[in-house]
């Protein structure tokens, strides 16, 4: 097999060419120091110039280049430095060049690539196990070389090693299959591809997201069929030792392919490889989906029970009030009767015999209780008998048992929990539920004492239906809390299974920390010292500035409550159409032309690679890619855009959407456009500082028109419908660098870290969110990944401040901004190694931060790692709030950046105009592809605007006019789209050809129904 094509033509040329230095970098990297002069003094002029150029280029790139590619300006510069005439480097080659390279490596302290070739091959093998894309493998290898100070070889050398690694990896898999597949295994796999093209077996069915009982039963039935196949084939899977990423890759390929593509392999074992992994992938995915349905159904149960319970309460309120009034009246009459009898008994003037007569007459005068009164008293007695328990709530719960057993029992019977990592009491109850009929002998250790008391009636009759509902609720709560985990899953494993293996971490800790740039956090004693000093200084600075009057935007009311005032900034943006006169007013620019023009200068479509790693066929034409991007991004849909597009085959669009457009390819294409925008000087007009970049994220609610477990209800945003949150990230230059889609009931905070790390272009220094994007864990993690987290927190003055020193230390100084609690520094120190292991896992992208935080936050207060991260986050949060109080400019920047999000939301809606702006795809993966295409269109429009305005500046006829344009751009927003036609064009010329009557009107009017 020829070497893989990993980089496109332009990238390959850039990789193999020396850097293009400007005057500043040329001066820095070709500076002839005394040490270098000592080395080259004995060289002739050609060797002197060649050595200095090679060393300068190597210092910048860690690569050596052919002298034929050296920049002539660099040659002239070095010759001037050495005070010699310009030389030709034609004779700078061979053994001289080799010796110079060895000398440069020794001088700078790098190793030759050849020394580490075996370790690099091993690194590539490890990356192959994770089934990363070749482009990502190349990037990871380059990172590995840089961290270990190893020379970067030629592009051809690396691509050949990656190609060899891929071939060896797949050869090993196929060899394993040849030895492990038994005849019964092959029968199962062959049955998945019957000759009948219309037959679509269970394995290839789309996973249903419906929560209707009938659909759930169908989903469970399909799952059980796949489960049987999975466990039959599991011995083979165990021998293959595939990572979850590898399983996902082969399975997704199988799902994308057509039946004939799976049958065409000359080696049947290759077909078996795809089918086995697809079964495993389906087993994991379907089991996760069933748990999603279980959790959602449990939530629906709770809502229904709460609603009925409240309804019953209000419905019975009248009879209860009547009973209470009747009881009160009876009690008053009783007290009056007793008082009269006491008076007679204590009256010494009346004979004993007369007392009896008088008492009897009083009692005879008492009214006889009616049946209605007796019934009311029964109501009161029943209420009293319930005591302090929620017995009526449990009655309603039991009423719903049969309905929800119909939904949940089959799921609980089908899924396989991990008995090793799960809590024993709930595992025993689940096992009993699966194997035995529920009777009074069922396990009750998982129940609270109150619930245990409720599973029996007053006459000691066992309430089996209520027990089952209690079990379902406890299973749901245990899944969410981390007490229950699956054995085979993508989203419901135990927390420790998501982190870097503990033994591997302890063995390679120093190397991993170095690789991820966490050296400054390695020694906790240093972290502790810095943190305590910084916090004390922050309390002092903030309070002294208030007391001295230097901070005149801070006040205290009569109750000594802190009042923070933030003056409006003059940096507020003009309206979004503020740049309209700089764009053509006579005609609109088509969105298709925008994408075409931007692709001409960036080649972003080159990053849409075929899903197959070894695909060598010719790519579809550019029009198919643009059509697919518009179909997804404008929410028109691939089916519809294929039918309404002219000048292009619908099958080409479908090929692109199926094989080329993926989440990873969209990230790469967006990064390509943003990388180009970074090179444009105009983009930096919106940056506040050359040394720091501000970014912001915010959620936008979007409706959804299909069943999706990623969606949920929110009456405020969707009425009676469902929807999702689209969390979008942008920087102050208006680059849209990340987006995520998740349930509107989820907080934005757990998703924030992935947004900051999941791109290679925008490196945030300060990140801003609103209250929904903040929690104390995020303060901790952003600090550890070297991002300053600066959220706008609602009622920030009510946040608890923490310290390491006693509160009295600051009270004695007369300070008003005071800590309320201490930070448990010992707990942080105790868990510091696991904290670093968690951060390392996130930075190496072994697991998404979102997945880890969802599992970690489930453990709540009981998990020491969660508690330690929270304590550390409290320290960082306190430092932020003290700075927030003290720094009015910071507050203004936060307000300005968050205000830009509102314009960005309008921009997003303008692009996603189709389907009533609602998602019409089910899964999270599909939704994020739609959103990724929308983001690509947004970045393309922003890029086109920058290009157009840059050209306007370049073509300005006078310096005054030039400065006027620049200033207008500075005061306005680049997020303008009024000059763009998003909707296509209406072709009225076709009306000239429509002479025939389209309907048979007489026939229609004479129709009898």
């Amino acid at each position: 097999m020829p070497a893989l094509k990993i980089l496109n033509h332009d990238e390959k040329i850039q990789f193999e060419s020396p850097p293009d230095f400007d005057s500043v970098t040329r001066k820095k990297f070709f500076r002839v120091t005394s040490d270098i002069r000592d080395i080259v003094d004995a060289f002739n002029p050609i060797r002197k110039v060649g050595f200095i150029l090679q060393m300068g280029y190597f210092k910048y790139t860690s690569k050596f280049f052919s002298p034929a590619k050296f920049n002539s300006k660099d040659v002239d510069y070095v010759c001037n430095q050495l005070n010699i005439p310009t030389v030709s480097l034609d004779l700078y080659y061979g053994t001289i060049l080799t010796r110079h390279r060895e000398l440069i490596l020794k001088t700078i302290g790098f190793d030759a690539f050849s020394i580490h070739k075996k370790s690099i091959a091993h690194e590539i093998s490890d990356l192959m196990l994770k089934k990363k894309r070749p482009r990502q493998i190349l990037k990871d290898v380059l990172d590995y070389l840089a961290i270990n100070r190893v020379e970067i070889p030629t592009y051809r050398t690396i691509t050949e090693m990656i190609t060899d690694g891929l071939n060896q990896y797949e050869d090993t898999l196929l060899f394993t299959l040849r030895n492990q597949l038994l005849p019964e295994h092959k029968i199962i796999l062959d049955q998945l591809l019957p000759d009948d093209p219309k037959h679509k077996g269970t394995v290839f069915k789309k996973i249903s997201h419906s929560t209707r009982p009938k659909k759930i039963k169908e989903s469970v039935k399909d799952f059980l069929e796949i489960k049987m196949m999975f466990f039959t084939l599991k011995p083979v899977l165990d021998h293959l030792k595939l990572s979850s990423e590898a399983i996902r890759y082969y399975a997704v390929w199988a799902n994308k392919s057509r039946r004939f593509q799976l049958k065409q392999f000359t080696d049947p074992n290759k077909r078996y490889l795809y089918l086995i992994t697809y079964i495993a992938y389906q087993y994991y995915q379907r089991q996760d989906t069933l748990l999603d349905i279980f959790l959602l159904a449990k939530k629906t149960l709770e809502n229904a029970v709460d609603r009925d319970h409240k309804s019953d309460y209000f419905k019975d309120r009248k009879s209860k009030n009547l009973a209470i009034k009747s009881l009160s009246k009876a009690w008053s009459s009783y007290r009056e009767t007793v008082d009269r009898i006491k008076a007679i008994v204590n009256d010494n003037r009346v004979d004993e015999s007369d007392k009896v007569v008088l008492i009897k007459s009083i009692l005879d005068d008492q009214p006889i209780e009616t049946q209605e009164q007796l019934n009311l008293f029964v109501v009161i007695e029943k209420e009293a008998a319930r005591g302090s328990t929620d017995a009526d709530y449990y009655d309603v719960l039991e009423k719903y048992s049969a309905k929800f057993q119909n939904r949940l029992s089959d799921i609980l019977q089908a899924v396989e929990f991990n008995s090793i990592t799960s809590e024993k009491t709930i595992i025993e109850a689940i096992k009993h539920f699966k194997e035995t009929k529920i009777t009074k002998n069922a396990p009750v250790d998982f129940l609270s004492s109150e619930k245990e008391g409720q599973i029996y009636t007053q006459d000691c009759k066992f309430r089996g239906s209520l027990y089952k509902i209690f079990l379902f609720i406890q299973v749901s709560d245990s899944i969410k809390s981390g007490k229950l985990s699956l054995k085979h899953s993508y989203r419901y494993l135990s927390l420790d299974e998501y982190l870097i293996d503990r033994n591997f971490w302890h063995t390679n800790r120093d190397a991993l920390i170095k690789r991820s740039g966490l050296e400054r956090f390695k020694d906790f004693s240093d972290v502790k010292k810095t943190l305590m000093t910084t916090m004390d200084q922050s309390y002092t600075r903030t309070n002294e500035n208030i007391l001295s009057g230097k901070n005149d935007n801070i006040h205290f009311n009569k109750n000594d409550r802190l009042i923070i005032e933030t003056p409006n900034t003059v940096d507020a943006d003009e309206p979004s159409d503020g740049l309209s006169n700089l764009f053509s007013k006579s005609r609109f620019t088509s969105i298709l032309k925008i994408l075409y023009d931007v692709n001409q200068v960036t080649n972003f479509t080159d990053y849409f690679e075929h899903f197959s790693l070894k695909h060598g066929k010719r790519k579809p034409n550019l029009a198919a890619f643009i059509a697919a991007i518009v179909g997804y991004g404008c929410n028109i849909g691939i089916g519809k855009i294929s039918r309404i597009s002219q000048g292009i085959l619908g099958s080409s669009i479908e090929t692109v959407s199926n094989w080329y457009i993926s989440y990873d390819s969209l990230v790469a294409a967006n990064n390509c456009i943003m990388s180009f925008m970074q090179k444009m000087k105009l983009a930096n007009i919106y940056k506040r500082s050359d040394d720091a970049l501000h970014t912001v994220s915010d959620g936008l609610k979007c409706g959804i028109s299909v069943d999706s477990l990623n969606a949920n209800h929110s009456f405020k945003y969707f009425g009676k419908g469902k929807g999702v949150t689209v969390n979008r990230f942008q920087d102050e230059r208006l680059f849209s660098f990340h987006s995520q889609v998740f349930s509107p009931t989820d907080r934005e905070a757990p998703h924030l870290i992935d947004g900051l790390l999941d791109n290679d272009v925008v490196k945030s220094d300060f990140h801003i969110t609103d209250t929904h994007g903040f929690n104390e864990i995020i303060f901790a993690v952003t600090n550890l990944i070297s991002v300053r987290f600066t959220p706008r927190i609602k009622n920030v003055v009510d946040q608890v401040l923490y310290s390491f020193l006693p509160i009295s230390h600051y009270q004695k100084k007369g300070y008003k901004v005071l800590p309320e609690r201490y930070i448990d520094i010992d707990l942080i120190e105790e868990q510091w190694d696991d904290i670093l292991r968690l951060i390392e896992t996130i930075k190496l992208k072994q697991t998404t931060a979102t997945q880890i935080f969802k599992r970690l936050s489930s453990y709540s207060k009981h998990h020491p790692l969660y508690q330690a991260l929270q304590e550390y986050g409290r320290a960082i949060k306190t430092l932020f709030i003290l700075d927030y109080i003290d720094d009015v400019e910071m507050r203004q920047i936060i307000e300005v950046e968050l205000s830009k999000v509102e314009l960005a939301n309008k921009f997003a809606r303008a692009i996603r105009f189709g389907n009533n702006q609602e998602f019409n795809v089910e899964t999270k993966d599909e939704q994020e592809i739609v959103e990724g295409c929308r983001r690509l269109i947004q970045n393309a429009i922003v890029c086109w605007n920058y290009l157009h305005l840059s050209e306007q500046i370049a073509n300005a006829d006078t310096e005054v006019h030039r400065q006027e344009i620049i200033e207008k751009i500075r005061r306005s927003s680049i997020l303008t789209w009024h000059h763009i036609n998003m909707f296509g064009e209406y072709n009225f010329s076709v009306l000239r050809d429509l002479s025939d009557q389209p309907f048979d009107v007489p026939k229609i009017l004479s129709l009898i129904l």
Side-chain angles (χ1 to χ4, degrees):
M1 172 188 169
L4 292 168
K5 182 183 175 182
I6 300 176
L7 301 179
N8 60 40
H9 178 71
D10 292 340
E11 291 173 318
K12 181 181 175 183
I13 290 175
Q14 184 179 357
F15 187 92
E16 296 177 329
S17 301
D20 188 11
F21 286 154
D22 57 22
S23 59
V24 176
T25 49
R26 195 175 286 122
K27 183 177 180 180
K28 177 181 178 182
F29 287 97
F30 296 141
R31 188 162 65 93
V32 183
T33 63
S34 58
D35 292 340
I36 295 176
R37 198 174 294 277
D38 290 341
I39 294 172
V40 302
D41 264 349
F43 296 171
N44 65 36
I46 292 175
R47 295 179 182 180
K48 282 183 181 180
V49 173
F51 182 88
I52 293 170
L53 287 169
Q54 281 279 28
M55 177 172 272
Y57 289 146
F58 189 87
K59 284 181 177 178
Y60 188 81
T61 65
S62 303
K63 289 185 281 187
F64 292 117
F65 302 95
S66 167
K69 295 183 177 181
F70 287 2
N71 192 311
S72 59
K73 290 182 180 180
D74 297 337
V75 175
D76 293 341
Y77 178 81
V78 172
C79 289
N80 288 332
Q81 285 281 93
L82 298 172
N83 294 317
I84 60 175
T86 300
V87 298
S88 171
L89 297 176
D90 292 344
L91 299 177
Y92 184 61
Y93 64 91
T95 56
I96 295 298
L97 188 60
T98 303
R99 287 204 300 270
H100 279 195
R101 289 178 174 179
E102 291 172 354
L103 183 56
I104 289 169
L105 290 171
K106 183 178 179 181
T107 303
I108 297 178
F110 266 64
D111 288 340
F113 178 79
S114 57
I115 298 173
H116 293 268
K117 195 167 184 178
K118 285 187 177 180
S119 64
I120 301 303
H122 182 72
E123 180 76 7
I124 289 173
S125 297
D126 287 345
L127 294 170
M128 286 295 172
L129 289 173
K130 297 177 181 177
K131 211 59 186 178
K132 291 192 175 183
R133 307 294 296 178
R135 183 180 290 272
Q136 185 61 46
I137 292 174
L138 175 61
K139 179 182 178 299
D140 289 346
V141 168
L142 294 178
D143 289 343
Y144 178 87
L145 295 172
I147 290 167
N148 291 281
R149 297 179 69 80
V150 178
E151 165 204 359
I152 295 175
T154 63
Y155 172 72
R156 181 177 178 179
T157 299
I158 297 183
T159 52
E160 286 179 349
M161 290 186 70
I162 293 173
T163 304
D164 291 344
L166 176 61
N167 290 334
Q168 290 172 14
Y169 175 69
E170 291 202 340
D171 287 346
T172 301
L173 294 179
L174 297 179
F175 178 79
T176 303
L177 284 173
R178 278 191 285 272
N179 287 284
Q180 296 299 325
L181 274 176
L182 300 175
E184 55 264 35
H185 297 147
K186 294 179 182 179
I187 291 172
I188 291 173
L189 296 171
D190 288 337
Q191 287 174 347
L192 299 179
L193 297 174
D195 294 329
D196 182 3
K198 295 182 179 179
H199 179 78
K200 196 173 181 75
T202 297
V203 173
F204 291 98
K205 278 185 183 177
K206 195 170 184 179
I207 300 175
S208 172
H209 284 226
S210 175
T211 56
R212 294 188 289 275
K214 182 180 178 182
K215 289 290 185 181
I216 292 175
K217 288 186 179 297
E218 290 176 3
S219 296
V220 170
K221 182 181 176 182
D222 293 342
F223 171 73
L224 290 174
E225 188 175 333
I226 292 169
K227 180 181 177 181
M228 182 189 69
M229 296 181 199
F230 173 78
F231 280 103
T232 303
L233 294 163
K234 192 172 183 301
V236 182
L237 274 164
D238 291 342
H239 278 92
L240 289 172
K241 297 179 181 178
L242 293 164
S243 67
S244 60
E245 293 88 349
I247 289 174
R248 189 191 298 269
Y249 168 77
Y250 287 116
V252 172
W253 192 98
N255 191 48
K256 287 177 177 290
S257 65
R258 296 184 179 180
R259 199 178 307 268
F260 77 87
Q261 290 173 302
L262 284 166
K263 285 190 169 186
Q264 70 183 359
F265 295 119
T266 53
D267 185 349
N269 290 299
K270 195 161 188 179
R271 177 171 68 250
Y272 294 147
L273 172 63
Y274 283 101
L275 292 174
I276 288 173
T277 53
Y278 190 70
I279 289 170
Y281 181 72
Q282 283 280 302
Y283 178 69
Y284 290 8
Q285 286 283 80
R286 287 177 182 272
Q287 190 162 231
D288 285 351
T289 302
L290 287 176
L291 277 198
D292 290 339
I293 293 171
F294 192 97
L295 295 175
L296 185 59
K298 179 260 185 179
K299 184 65 178 176
T300 303
L301 166 66
E302 288 181 333
N303 292 338
V305 171
D306 286 342
R307 184 174 60 250
D308 277 17
H309 184 223
K310 289 176 182 177
S311 176
D312 289 346
Y313 172 80
F314 287 109
K315 183 175 65 178
D316 295 340
R317 186 170 58 177
K318 185 176 180 181
S319 61
K320 289 176 183 177
N321 287 341
L322 285 173
I324 291 169
K325 287 180 180 178
S326 178
L327 179 63
S328 176
K329 185 176 179 181
W331 174 253
S332 298
S333 175
Y334 164 76
R335 289 301 308 167
E336 182 183 345
T337 300
V338 170
D339 289 343
R340 289 175 63 189
I341 292 173
K342 280 183 179 180
I344 292 171
V345 171
N346 295 328
D347 191 347
N348 295 327
R349 296 171 298 172
V350 180
D351 293 337
E352 294 297 325
S353 58
D354 293 337
K355 287 181 181 181
V356 173
V357 174
L358 290 171
I359 290 171
K360 188 174 181 304
S361 65
I362 291 171
L363 295 175
D364 289 341
D365 290 341
Q366 291 299 307
I368 299 173
E369 294 88 346
T370 65
Q371 186 60 43
E372 182 181 357
Q373 287 175 316
L374 292 174
N375 290 340
L376 291 173
F377 291 149
V378 169
V379 171
I380 297 296
E381 286 176 356
K382 283 184 177 180
E383 287 298 309
R386 291 178 179 273
S388 60
T389 65
D390 291 325
D392 52 347
Y393 178 85
Y394 296 129
D395 290 343
V396 178
L397 200 60
E398 186 176 25
K399 183 179 75 173
Y400 276 94
S401 180
K403 180 178 179 179
F404 281 89
Q405 281 183 55
N406 198 27
R407 283 180 168 88
L408 302 177
S409 293
D410 290 343
I411 296 176
L412 193 56
Q413 287 281 358
V415 297
E416 293 291 329
F417 292 103
N418 190 334
S419 58
I420 297 173
T421 59
S422 300
E423 192 176 85
K424 294 294 181 285
T425 56
I426 189 66
I427 283 290
E428 288 173 4
I430 293 170
K431 184 180 179 183
H432 184 87
F433 176 83
K434 288 183 176 186
E435 298 174 354
T436 313
K437 185 178 179 181
I438 298 298
T439 65
K440 62 181 180 180
N441 297 321
V444 294
D445 291 345
F446 69 95
L447 294 173
S448 65
S449 56
E450 180 183 331
K451 288 182 178 179
E452 187 177 347
Q454 289 296 323
I455 60 175
Y456 292 94
T457 61
Q458 289 183 346
D459 54 357
C460 297
K461 184 179 178 182
F462 180 71
R463 302 166 74 180
S465 294
L466 185 59
Y467 175 91
K468 290 178 184 178
I469 283 292
F470 282 160
L471 176 61
F472 296 154
I473 292 172
Q474 187 59 45
V475 167
S476 176
D477 292 343
S478 296
I479 292 167
K480 293 176 73 175
S481 68
K483 294 178 182 178
L484 265 181
S485 56
L486 293 175
K487 195 170 186 179
H488 305 285
S489 171
Y490 286 116
R491 292 184 283 112
Y492 292 104
L493 299 173
S494 65
L495 174 64
D496 211 53
E497 290 176 274
Y498 289 111
L499 301 179
I500 291 173
D501 178 74
R502 193 177 294 275
N503 292 330
F504 180 79
W505 166 254
H506 287 150
T507 304
N508 302 278
R509 183 179 186 273
D510 291 347
L512 289 169
I513 284 175
K514 182 180 179 182
R515 184 172 183 176
S516 293
L518 292 172
E519 290 98 333
R520 69 189 182 98
F521 298 107
K522 180 180 176 181
D523 189 343
F524 183 72
S525 60
D526 294 337
V527 175
K528 176 180 176 181
K529 182 179 178 181
T530 302
L531 198 58
M532 294 177 76
T533 302
T534 305
M535 183 168 289
D536 184 48
Q537 290 172 347
S538 293
Y539 270 112
T540 301
R541 183 189 63 252
T542 300
N543 280 284
E544 291 293 345
N545 285 342
I546 293 172
L547 294 175
S548 66
K550 185 177 179 180
N551 187 349
D552 56 2
N553 293 298
I554 301 300
H555 309 285
F556 292 87
N557 64 13
K558 60 182 180 181
N559 297 320
D560 261 357
R561 178 181 170 82
L562 183 68
I563 307 296
I564 302 175
E565 294 178 356
T566 304
N568 289 331
T569 175
V570 296
D571 194 30
D573 286 335
E574 286 189 353
S576 60
D577 60 349
L579 298 175
S580 58
N581 63 342
L582 296 178
F583 294 95
S584 174
K585 294 183 178 180
S586 60
R587 61 187 298 275
F588 291 99
T589 303
S590 162
I591 187 62
L592 303 184
K593 178 171 169 43
I594 296 282
L595 290 167
Y596 177 81
D597 289 350
V598 171
N599 189 63
Q600 286 294 97
V601 298
T602 65
N603 294 315
F604 69 81
T605 54
D606 287 350
Y607 291 86
F608 290 105
E609 302 169 342
H610 194 280
F611 188 80
S612 177
L613 297 179
K614 297 182 179 180
H615 182 75
K617 294 182 181 179
R618 186 177 178 182
K619 290 176 73 170
N621 61 27
L622 176 61
F625 283 92
I626 291 179
I629 291 164
V630 170
Y632 277 129
C634 294
N635 216 29
I636 298 169
I638 295 300
K640 188 172 183 179
I641 199 77
S642 298
R643 291 191 295 272
I644 65 176
S645 298
Q646 296 182 10
I648 182 173
L649 292 174
S651 58
S652 296
I653 301 174
E654 290 168 0
T655 296
V656 167
S657 68
N658 186 49
W659 286 106
Y660 289 89
I661 293 184
S662 65
Y663 177 83
D664 291 336
S665 65
L666 283 165
V667 169
N670 274 290
N671 285 349
C672 172
I673 296 175
M674 291 188 293
S675 294
F676 178 81
M677 287 194 286
Q678 282 198 147
K679 298 174 185 176
M680 288 192 283
K681 300 293 190 293
L682 186 59
N684 293 325
I685 199 171
Y686 296 112
K687 285 187 68 175
R688 291 178 172 81
S689 167
D690 293 335
D691 303 324
L693 182 67
H694 291 81
T695 59
V696 62
S697 62
D698 187 50
L700 173 66
K701 300 295 188 290
C702 299
I704 191 163
S705 57
V706 295
D707 286 334
S708 173
L709 292 171
N710 199 39
N712 219 316
H713 292 284
S714 176
F715 187 80
K716 177 180 177 182
Y717 297 103
F718 317 121
K720 294 182 179 180
K722 288 185 176 183
V724 294
T725 294
V726 179
N727 199 29
R728 296 174 301 100
F729 292 70
Q730 66 185 37
D731 70 11
E732 55 192 329
R733 301 164 298 182
L734 284 307
F735 296 8
S736 181
F737 65 89
H738 187 73
S739 56
Q740 306 152 316
V741 186
F742 49 84
S743 170
T745 57
D746 289 355
R747 282 182 63 87
E748 293 162 18
H751 303 267
L752 188 143
I753 302 302
D754 285 329
L756 294 175
L757 293 179
D758 196 21
N759 78 94
D760 299 319
V761 179
V762 176
K763 299 301 180 186
S764 176
D765 297 293
F766 296 84
H767 188 73
I768 300 164
T769 68
D770 60 14
T771 301
H772 292 286
F774 128 83
N775 65 30
E776 288 163 341
I777 298 289
I778 298 303
F779 270 109
V781 178
T782 49
N783 175 262
L784 291 165
I785 64 171
S786 302
V787 176
R788 183 81 189 279
F789 187 41
T790 56
R792 180 178 65 187
I793 304 174
K794 186 178 181 180
N795 299 325
V796 66
V797 297
D798 294 329
Q799 288 289 316
V800 175
L801 297 181
Y802 295 80
S803 73
F804 298 101
L805 296 175
I807 298 169
S808 58
H809 173 79
Y810 300 108
Q811 287 175 325
K812 291 174 182 177
K813 296 182 178 184
Y815 293 167
K816 287 193 169 186
V817 179
L818 298 169
E820 297 177 46
R821 297 180 190 171
Y822 292 105
I823 293 167
D824 189 345
I825 195 71
D826 294 334
L827 176 61
I828 301 173
E829 186 167 13
E830 180 183 302
Q831 293 294 317
W832 191 247
D833 196 60
D834 272 347
I835 289 175
L836 292 182
R837 183 164 73 108
L838 183 148
I839 300 300
E840 184 69 28
T841 301
I842 293 170
K843 295 203 78 173
L844 291 181
K845 298 181 181 179
Q846 179 168 311
T847 310
T848 64
T850 302
Q851 183 62 61
I852 290 177
F853 293 143
K854 277 191 172 183
R855 296 306 282 163
L856 185 61
S857 60
S858 298
Y859 292 88
S860 191
K861 300 176 182 178
H862 305 295
H863 200 290
L865 177 56
Y866 180 92
Q867 290 176 303
L869 265 174
Q870 193 172 48
E871 285 296 310
Y872 186 71
R874 285 167 175 167
I876 306 303
K877 181 192 77 171
T878 299
L879 291 174
F880 160 70
I881 292 175
L882 292 171
D883 286 347
Y884 183 87
I885 294 169
D886 192 56
D887 191 342
V888 65
E889 184 181 358
M890 175 198 284
R891 301 199 299 272
Q892 290 174 328
I893 291 172
I894 292 171
E895 294 297 331
V896 168
E897 291 303 317
L898 283 172
S899 69
K900 290 180 182 178
V901 171
E902 297 306 316
L903 179 59
N905 288 344
K906 292 179 183 178
F907 194 11
R909 292 189 184 98
I911 294 171
R912 193 179 54 248
F913 60 82
N915 195 44
N916 198 29
Q917 299 183 351
E918 294 181 329
F919 283 101
N920 60 353
V921 288
E922 293 179 339
T923 67
K924 179 181 174 67
D925 290 344
E926 292 171 313
Q927 290 160 10
E928 292 197 331
I929 285 174
V930 170
E931 174 55 25
C933 287
R934 185 213 59 79
R935 188 162 64 87
L936 183 64
I937 294 173
Q938 177 174 327
N939 279 324
I941 292 172
V942 170
C943 181
W944 194 92
N945 287 350
Y946 274 129
L947 287 164
H948 177 82
L949 294 173
S950 296
E951 196 169 58
Q952 293 264 323
I953 295 170
N955 294 335
D957 49 4
T958 66
E959 181 61 25
V960 173
H961 185 207
R962 182 174 178 275
Q963 291 302 323
E964 284 177 353
I965 296 173
I966 293 172
E967 190 56 33
K968 188 168 187 62
I969 295 169
R970 192 194 310 276
R971 295 196 314 269
S972 303
S973 174
I974 200 71
L975 282 183
T976 182
W977 63 96
H978 300 282
H979 56 292
I980 298 172
N981 178 14
M982 302 279 190
F983 306 101
E985 297 177 352
Y986 297 97
N987 185 2
F988 292 99
S989 63
V990 298
L991 297 179
R992 291 195 297 268
D993 302 325
L994 302 177
S995 56
D996 295 336
Q997 173 62 254
F999 301 106
D1000 187 342
V1001 176
K1003 190 173 184 179
I1004 291 171
L1005 295 178
S1006 63
L1007 183 66
I1008 298 174
L1009 300 178

